[in-house]
């Protein structure tokens, strides 16, 4: 079979303006979902290590369910399934943010659990010996140290969530992949356009990775 293919750089470059319109949606959904997911993660992460089974068991169930199912299935359930229960449609962007929130929240819960449990027990005992309450000891001694140790893992979760937004093209969210699909439908330059989509995702994730490395070098994260 005679294959005579030449990469069309002009098609790749001409797709950039339309692809750029998808970046705000990608960032809004990923970071909006992560902000909510962080709150969920703190709540369920602390419930996960509770001494009370009636608090711990629901937290474990939430974490295992949302870590054990694909984010694509979760967003399809939210976008197509929940409206039948709620009696009204859900906006695609709202569904995307919700999917990132509940999915990242499950992973962040484990990050929070690991971060808090990584702090030596003696730290808490020292706070109590100084006359602090358990809540004050956690707030002023345990949590600041634990949070610093969580930052690299939280950064990795942010990168994963940014990439997960590419799945939301299936519900019509106008993020990077969706904009690429729209452009390809009229130009038939799939290879060139998807290469540009990949490069834009790479630029976003590498920027975040660089920021995390800078924090590590300045000693603001980790031990």
């Amino acid at each position: 079979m005679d294959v005579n293919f030449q990469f069309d750089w002009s098609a790749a470059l001409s797709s950039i303006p339309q692809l750029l319109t998808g970046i705000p949606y990608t960032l809004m959904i990923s970071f909006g979902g992560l902000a909510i997911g962080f709150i969920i993660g703190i709540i369920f992460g602390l419930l996960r290590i509770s001494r009370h089974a009636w608090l711990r068991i629901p937290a474990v169930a939430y974490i295992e369910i949302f870590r054990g199912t694909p984010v694509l299935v979760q967003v399809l359930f939210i976008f197509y399934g929940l409206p039948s229960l709620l009696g009204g449609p859900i906006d695609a962007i709202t569904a995307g943010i919700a999917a990132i929130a509940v999915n990242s929240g499950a992973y962040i819960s484990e990050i929070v659990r690991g971060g808090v449990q990584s702090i030596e027990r003696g730290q808490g005992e020292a706070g109590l010996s100084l006359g602090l309450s358990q809540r004050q000891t956690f707030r002023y001694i345990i949590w600041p140290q634990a949070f610093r140790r969580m930052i690299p893992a939280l950064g990795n979760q942010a990168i994963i969530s940014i990439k997960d937004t590419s799945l939301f093209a299936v519900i019509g969210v106008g993020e990077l992949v969706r904009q690429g699909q729209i452009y390809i439908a009229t130009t038939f330059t799939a290879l060139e356009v998807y290469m540009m989509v990949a490069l834009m995702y790479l630029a976003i994730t590498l920027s975040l990775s660089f920021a995390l490395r800078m924090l590590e070098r300045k000693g603001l994260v980790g031990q």
Side-chain angles (χ1 to χ4, degrees):
M1 181 175 62
D2 183 18
V3 178
N4 185 19
F5 175 80
Q6 290 184 345
F7 190 89
D8 189 349
W9 285 103
S10 63
L13 295 175
S14 62
S15 69
I16 292 177
Q18 180 156 345
L19 295 181
L20 288 175
T21 65
I23 291 180
Y25 291 98
T26 295
L27 296 179
M28 177 177 63
I29 292 171
S30 57
F31 287 109
L34 281 166
I36 300 171
F38 182 65
I39 297 172
I40 294 172
I42 292 175
I43 295 171
F44 282 89
L46 296 180
L47 292 178
R48 174 72 173 79
I49 57 178
S50 172
R51 296 178 181 177
H52 304 290
W54 63 276
L55 293 174
R56 187 174 63 254
I57 291 174
V60 172
Y62 162 76
I63 292 169
E64 295 304 325
I65 289 171
F66 285 98
R67 288 203 311 165
T69 55
V71 67
L72 178 58
V73 174
Q74 293 164 15
V75 76
L76 290 174
F77 176 81
I78 293 169
F79 187 67
Y80 292 110
L82 281 186
S84 63
L85 298 175
L86 301 177
I90 296 177
D91 178 76
I93 294 176
T94 302
I97 292 174
I100 292 294
V102 296
N103 184 268
S104 65
Y107 286 93
I108 292 172
S109 296
E110 285 296 279
I111 294 171
V112 170
R113 179 194 63 80
V116 171
Q117 291 185 333
S118 72
I119 304 302
E120 296 77 7
R121 183 174 298 180
Q123 298 277 346
E125 294 172 352
L128 294 175
S129 68
L130 292 173
L132 299 177
S133 66
Q134 287 189 341
R135 180 175 297 180
Q136 290 173 326
T137 299
F138 180 81
R139 178 179 178 182
Y140 296 112
I141 298 178
I142 304 298
W143 179 255
Q145 297 181 73
F147 182 72
R148 286 182 60 184
R149 297 183 183 183
M150 294 176 205
I151 291 177
L154 291 173
N156 290 334
Q157 182 58 46
I159 291 173
I160 292 170
S161 295
I162 289 170
K163 294 186 292 183
D164 281 345
T165 61
S166 64
L167 300 171
F168 301 159
V170 299
I171 61 171
V173 176
E175 43 69 62
L176 265 173
V177 171
R178 181 61 179 165
Q179 295 300 332
Q181 291 174 339
I182 293 171
Y183 191 85
I184 291 167
T186 57
T187 62
F188 305 102
T189 52
L191 177 63
E192 293 86 349
V193 174
Y194 283 133
M195 187 200 73
M196 293 306 301
V197 169
L199 289 175
M200 288 186 179
Y201 273 111
L202 186 62
I204 295 171
T205 56
L206 285 179
S207 297
L208 185 55
S209 296
F210 177 77
L212 288 172
R213 285 196 294 271
M214 290 297 293
L215 291 175
E216 289 177 357
R217 289 175 183 174
K218 292 181 179 181
L220 299 178
V221 302
Q223 300 293 334

